Amino acid sequence: QVQLVESGGGLVQTGESLRLSCAASGSRFSINVMGWYRRPPGKQRELVATITSGGTAIYTDSVKGRFTISRDNTKNTVYLQMNSLQPEDTAVYFCTAHTIVGYNYWGQGTQVTVSS
């Protein structure tokens, strides 16, 4: 079974930073894309950022310039460095992994809360 283990969430004040980590294990197929989604309170889940195994990254407009996604292919780990956090970033953040043969995996989510 593929597991995605997330860490790094927490409670911070406006302007502070957090780094989320997600380690994938147990996949027998190559993981092509890893990324992060988030679900703000009372809202739909939205894409935050994705990164391919080759290092190509995509960000949603609201986090460009503040968040950085990176990846360690050797460890099958994806990171999300979140700087200049704002209350609007408060959400449950979900790690995702997608294999080249079409399997999709999700982490359980980690809470990020940014206080005013």
Side-chain angles (χ1 to χ4, degrees):
Q1 297 294 322
V2 175
Q3 287 186 298
L4 300 180
V5 181
E6 300 157 322
S7 62
L11 173 64
V12 297
Q13 294 181 304
T14 298
E16 295 183 341
S17 299
L18 283 173
R19 189 180 74 162
L20 305 182
S21 300
C22 174
S25 62
S27 178
R28 66 173 63 198
F29 300 106
S30 177
I31 297 175
N32 179 241
V33 177
M34 301 187 76
W36 296 91
Y37 283 74
R38 67 185 182 186
R39 187 189 298 278
K43 297 182 179 181
Q44 299 289 335
R45 186 173 60 191
E46 64 182 4
L47 178 68
V48 178
T50 62
I51 186 168
T52 68
S53 60
T56 301
I58 297 175
Y59 301 90
T60 192
D61 287 343
S62 63
V63 307
K64 288 180 179 177
R66 299 188 298 119
F67 291 11
T68 302
I69 190 170
S70 60
R71 178 172 175 171
D72 185 336
N73 292 332
T74 301
K75 299 179 179 179
N76 277 329
T77 300
V78 64
Y79 307 92
L80 186 67
Q81 178 67 44
M82 304 184 294
N83 298 328
S84 301
L85 283 164
Q86 305 297 314
E88 293 74 25
D89 297 315
T90 295
V92 178
Y93 284 71
F94 298 90
C95 176
T96 67
H98 312 276
T99 72
I100 197 169
V101 296
Y103 291 105
N104 306 302
Y105 303 100
W106 293 82
Q108 291 297 115
T110 184
Q111 178 70 47
V112 172
T113 302
V114 185
S115 63
S116 301

